[in-house]
């Protein structure tokens, strides 16, 4: 592909991102998620001013399950590989969209440490161990449900930290092993937003405890990595234009 075609493709992404961002009833978070997912671990690391090694455990991670199989889900669940600390990361495209009810749910999860228990429950209640020929994994856990994929991806990342051999554990045993690991870890609440999130004209961090608000517009990364820097600059430019 010629350099000109790359530019055409970028301009196409830029146009439709900005267009959809300003279109009623289109969820801007979905658009931004596509752009930010490859960078989210580095964004949180930079925003937290950390020297840790951040990894993405899951997206749309279920914090609680109700009878209708619905419940609050966090945009990103990250882990600092060097400390095992967990990060509940919520993406906000509207800097005035702070939701106190949502915050209270996150705070309760932080205080109760039940994040793994809820994940274990949804795996046991909402997945089936069936063979599905278009979905192949390297363990005996196979299924057509997306939560099976999330389970196996997390198990692979946490290999060596969870008890048992992930290649021989059943779906239920694997879910229980992840539950036990998640239960004992420190949890942080992080909001990633274009600019500063304010409530009653004050930064949300001043009014609500345990919150870290990372402003995307201020994030500069990859100073020593020109290739990654160029990619981030393209995404960063689109983000700033939505402001």
């Amino acid at each position: 592909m010629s350099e000109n075609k790359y530019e055409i493709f970028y301009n196409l992404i830029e146009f439709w991102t900005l267009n959809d961002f300003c279109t009623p009833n289109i969820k801007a978070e979905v658009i931004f998620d596509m752009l930010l997912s490859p960078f989210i671990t580095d964004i949180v690391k930079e925003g937290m001013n950390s020297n840790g090694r951040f990894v993405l455990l899951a997206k749309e991670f279920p914090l609680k399950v109700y009878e209708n199989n619905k419940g609050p889900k966090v945009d990103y669940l990250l882990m600092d590989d060097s400390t095992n600390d967990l990060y509940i990361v919520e993406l906000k495209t509207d800097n005035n969209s702070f939701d106190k009810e949502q915050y209270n749910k996150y705070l309760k999860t932080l205080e109760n440490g039940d994040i793994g228990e809820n994940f274990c429950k949804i795996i046991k209640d909402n997945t089936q161990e069936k063979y599905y020929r278009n979905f192949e994994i390297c363990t005996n856990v196979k299924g057509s449900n997306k939560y099976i994929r999330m389970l196996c991806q997390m198990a692979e990342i946490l290999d060596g930290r969870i008890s048992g051999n992930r290649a021989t554990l059943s779906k239920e045993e694997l879910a229980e092993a992840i539950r036990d690991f998640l239960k004992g870890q420190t949890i942080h609440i992080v909001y990633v937003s274009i600019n500063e999130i304010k409530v009653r004209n004050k930064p949300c961090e001043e009014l609500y405890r345990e919150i870290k608000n990372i402003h995307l517009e201020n994030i500069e990364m990859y100073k020593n990595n020109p290739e990654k820097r160029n990619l981030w600059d393209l995404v960063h430019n689109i983000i700033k234009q939505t402001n």
Side-chain angles (χ1 to χ4, degrees), residues 8-226:
I8 292 173
F9 181 72
Y10 170 76
N11 290 336
L12 186 67
I13 296 294
E14 179 186 49
F15 172 81
W16 282 107
T17 298
L18 297 174
N19 182 80
D20 290 350
F21 185 82
C22 298
T23 300
N25 301 319
I26 291 183
K27 292 185 176 181
E29 282 84 359
V30 176
I31 305 168
F32 271 67
D33 171 67
M34 178 193 69
L35 295 173
L36 293 175
S37 287
F39 306 100
I40 193 65
T41 54
D42 291 330
I43 288 170
V44 174
K45 178 179 177 178
E46 182 74 19
M48 298 295 293
N49 194 26
S50 170
N51 292 321
R53 298 185 301 272
F54 285 78
V55 294
L56 174 62
L57 289 182
K59 294 172 63 174
E60 292 297 314
F61 184 83
L63 293 183
K64 196 168 183 62
V65 186
Y66 302 130
E67 291 182 359
N68 59 2
N69 291 339
K70 294 183 179 181
K73 297 178 178 64
V74 64
D75 290 333
Y76 308 95
L77 179 65
L78 270 57
M79 181 183 74
D80 183 344
D81 195 36
S82 60
T83 64
N84 289 343
D85 281 13
L86 301 174
Y87 291 78
I88 292 174
V89 181
E90 183 71 18
L91 177 61
K92 292 292 185 183
T93 56
D94 183 348
N95 298 325
N96 297 312
S97 64
F98 179 81
D99 187 332
K100 187 175 180 180
E101 182 180 353
Q102 181 186 61
Y103 159 75
N104 286 331
K105 290 176 181 177
Y106 291 163
L107 190 63
K108 185 177 180 181
T109 298
L110 184 153
E111 293 172 341
N112 294 344
D114 58 359
I115 189 170
E117 189 67 44
N118 291 324
F119 175 71
C120 186
K121 176 176 172 55
I122 199 172
I123 292 296
K124 289 184 176 182
D125 293 352
N126 299 282
T127 60
Q128 297 176 343
E129 289 193 77
K130 293 180 178 179
Y131 178 73
Y132 185 62
R133 64 188 179 88
N134 291 325
F135 181 70
E136 298 179 2
I137 52 180
C138 299
T139 75
N140 66 335
V141 183
K142 297 181 180 180
S144 58
N145 193 293
K146 290 182 180 179
Y147 281 110
I148 288 288
R149 183 177 181 87
M150 178 186 286
L151 173 70
C152 295
Q153 287 175 333
M154 289 183 65
E156 182 176 359
I157 294 170
L158 296 174
D159 192 26
R161 291 178 170 82
I162 58 177
S163 59
N165 183 348
R166 67 182 176 89
T168 59
L169 293 177
S170 68
K171 174 193 68 179
E172 288 80 6
E173 291 170 335
L174 202 54
E176 289 170 0
I178 292 176
R179 175 200 63 195
D180 293 342
F181 171 81
L182 295 177
K183 188 174 182 179
Q185 311 308 332
T186 300
I187 303 174
H188 306 268
I189 303 174
V190 177
Y191 285 85
V192 172
S193 59
I194 299 175
N195 282 316
E196 186 175 58
I197 295 177
K198 290 190 176 183
V199 182
R200 301 190 297 274
N201 294 321
K202 290 187 177 181
C204 65
E205 291 165 291
E206 290 184 10
L207 297 174
Y208 298 93
R209 62 189 179 90
E210 307 293 349
I211 289 180
K212 172 65 177 179
N213 181 205
I214 298 174
H215 318 149
L216 284 171
E217 193 171 36
N218 296 335
I219 293 294
E220 299 290 342
M221 302 188 295
Y222 311 124
K223 293 179 180 178
N224 299 319
N225 190 325

